[in-house]
Amino acid sequence: MAEKPSEKSPEEPEGSGRSGQSGESIPDDVWAQFVQDSERDIRTSEAPKEPSARARMVTERLRQQEARGELPPGWRTGPAWQEMNGQKARRRKVWTIIGVVLAIALAVVAMKPSLLPGDPFGTGTDTGTQSANPLPDETAAPTNAPSNAPGTPTLDKPFAGSPAVRYADGAAGIVLPEAKPVGAFGKDQVASALAQTKSLLVDANLDRKTLLGGNPETTLDKILDPKQPDMIADARSWLRKPGKNSDPLWLFSRFDPDEVRLVGDVVKTRGRTTFKAGRDGGVAIHADYTFVYALAPADPDSTEVSRTIVRRVLDLELLDPAKYEVTPGRLAVNRHDQDLANSACDIYDGFLHPQFDSADPTGAPPSGPTTDPYDRSRDIGKSGTEECGTVSRT
């Protein structure tokens, strides 16, 4: 307990002791109240409190967990909570951005559906696509001509406006039948003869070197039988010195690169190959194909596109070496007929000459009947006329 200050002694100077500034001593009742209040404040603010039994138990458990390294992160403040909260924030931001992009894309497509590839909504407006609604393989002779196709050819879509837009691309359109034994030949030998037929068609009508005026050496050196009288010799003569009675176009498709250029890398192809038993145990192969070429003037600045359509019918034969003087594995040509559409008449320089709207016609005026070059239901080569006619469409 605080000691009460003593009374001021007579010798002390006035104002120098524990009395008030007035020099008067503190009354006993005031001092007693002061001492009581001081002791109460000390007890409430400074005196330690004894922890409860539950508090001591929790404290001991946490101390033991900390010693074992098992102390959990703080609630709402630990790394797990902070990481999860950050991921949610980022996820909300990402989904917000994606939502805005999708909304813009949907709005653009709604205003201009043609931006989508193909024709996903069935509008029928994608008629210039090179592979639009491809036709199934031709397995039999058609019974009528194909319908018209809307569109105008361009450098980007050179087959627009033509039934050929649905034809296969190049060699993919030459689909061979499944081989089987015929006559003196087994399945593998028939399959080889069919493969040779396809190689001839590709070399003569699709190979870029041949199309630009080169010689189809694969056909002449590896496919046609050199023992067939005059066949290879005649073909080489036609290529070397073309003329009215020696025209390489009877077998090969060729263009003058000084006059025209091929548009793109695709030639459209449509047709079929069949086979049956031939003479004396041989194999007779029949090939009937239409090739559609997209062309532009040789001038690189020209954007005009025209098309030339060539249909070829070939009858080839694999003869039995035991009965004929032939080269095993080589093919003989029994028939070759062609129908050339959109090429100048009566020009015999060994090249096809497509006509363009921007240029004056060349060659003799057409004198034959008007025909549809896409009509594969009609026969060719047996009409008895060699007149150069007019085509109804290209």
Side-chain angles (χ1 to χ4, degrees):
M1 180 178 291
E3 181 181 355
K4 179 181 178 182
S6 61
E7 293 285 342
K8 179 182 178 184
S9 63
E11 293 78 20
E12 281 181 317
E14 189 175 13
S16 63
R18 289 167 293 189
S19 61
Q21 293 180 355
S22 62
E24 297 179 358
S25 63
I26 300 174
D28 290 341
D29 58 338
V30 174
W31 178 255
Q33 183 65 40
F34 170 77
V35 172
Q36 181 180 356
D37 294 339
S38 298
E39 291 177 348
R40 185 187 68 240
D41 293 338
I42 290 173
R43 287 194 304 268
T44 58
S45 61
E46 296 179 2
K49 294 182 180 180
E50 181 70 14
S52 66
R54 177 174 178 79
R56 289 196 299 273
M57 180 179 67
V58 172
T59 300
E60 179 62 17
R61 184 172 69 250
L62 292 175
R63 185 186 64 76
Q64 293 176 359
Q65 288 180 341
E66 184 176 11
R68 294 193 301 268
E70 300 175 355
L71 192 62
W75 181 64
R76 288 186 181 271
T77 60
W81 173 268
Q82 293 170 358
E83 182 179 356
M84 181 176 66
N85 189 51
Q87 288 175 347
K88 286 186 176 180
R90 287 192 296 271
R91 191 178 296 117
R92 287 194 298 269
K93 184 176 181 180
V94 169
W95 278 111
T96 299
I97 295 173
I98 292 176
V100 172
V101 173
L102 286 176
I104 294 174
L106 289 173
V108 172
V109 170
M111 291 185 291
K112 195 171 183 180
S114 61
L115 292 177
L116 290 177
D119 189 17
F121 304 115
T123 60
T125 57
D126 192 41
T127 56
T129 303
Q130 300 306 89
S131 58
N133 302 319
L135 293 171
D137 297 337
E138 185 177 287
T139 57
T143 57
N144 49 42
S147 59
N148 288 324
T152 301
T154 65
L155 292 177
D156 291 332
K157 297 179 179 180
F159 299 102
S162 160
V165 74
R166 300 181 63 193
Y167 289 5
D169 294 351
I174 304 174
V175 180
L176 300 177
E178 183 179 358
K180 62 181 181 180
V182 174
F185 298 95
K187 179 179 179 180
D188 290 344
Q189 292 171 302
V190 173
S192 179
L194 292 172
Q196 290 279 69
T197 300
K198 181 172 182 176
S199 294
L200 186 157
L201 292 167
V202 170
D203 190 46
N205 302 281
L206 299 175
D207 182 80
R208 200 168 185 87
K209 178 184 174 182
T210 301
L211 294 179
L212 294 178
N215 289 351
E217 297 297 343
T218 298
T219 297
L220 299 174
D221 292 342
K222 299 179 180 181
I223 299 175
L224 297 184
D225 190 347
K227 293 185 177 181
Q228 181 179 5
D230 299 329
M231 185 67 241
I232 294 179
D234 285 350
R236 289 193 180 279
S237 175
W238 304 340
L239 290 164
R240 187 172 54 252
K241 190 176 181 180
K244 184 175 182 179
N245 297 316
S246 55
D247 195 346
L249 297 180
W250 292 338
L251 280 177
F252 313 117
S253 298
R254 304 165 78 240
F255 297 92
D256 184 351
D258 292 332
E259 179 186 351
V260 297
R261 69 183 193 272
L262 298 171
V263 177
D265 298 323
V266 173
V267 175
K268 288 294 187 175
T269 307
R270 181 72 176 165
R272 66 192 182 279
T273 299
T274 58
F275 69 95
K276 63 182 181 179
R279 294 178 293 172
D280 299 323
V283 182
I285 301 172
H286 179 81
D288 182 346
Y289 285 89
T290 297
F291 302 95
V292 183
Y293 304 93
L295 305 137
D299 179 2
D301 294 329
S302 176
T303 59
E304 185 176 4
V305 176
S306 185
R307 289 183 291 258
T308 291
I309 303 95
V310 175
R311 183 179 172 191
R312 297 197 182 278
V313 176
L314 291 173
D315 284 336
L316 308 173
E317 194 166 16
L318 180 65
L319 295 171
D320 184 0
K323 299 178 179 179
Y324 291 89
E325 186 69 26
V326 295
T327 304
R330 296 293 189 93
L331 301 178
V333 179
N334 290 336
R335 171 194 175 191
H336 56 85
D337 286 317
Q338 68 287 328
D339 186 52
L340 313 178
N342 190 24
S343 182
C345 296
D346 297 340
I347 296 180
Y348 302 103
D349 60 357
F351 296 116
L352 294 159
H353 295 278
Q355 302 294 287
F356 294 91
D357 291 339
S358 61
D360 294 332
T362 58
S367 58
T370 299
T371 58
D372 180 358
Y374 292 101
D375 184 3
R376 292 185 43 78
S377 65
R378 64 187 181 90
D379 198 2
I380 66 170
K382 295 181 179 180
S383 61
T385 178
E386 294 183 358
E387 292 179 313
C388 181
T390 302
V391 294
S392 61
R393 55 180 174 175
T394 61

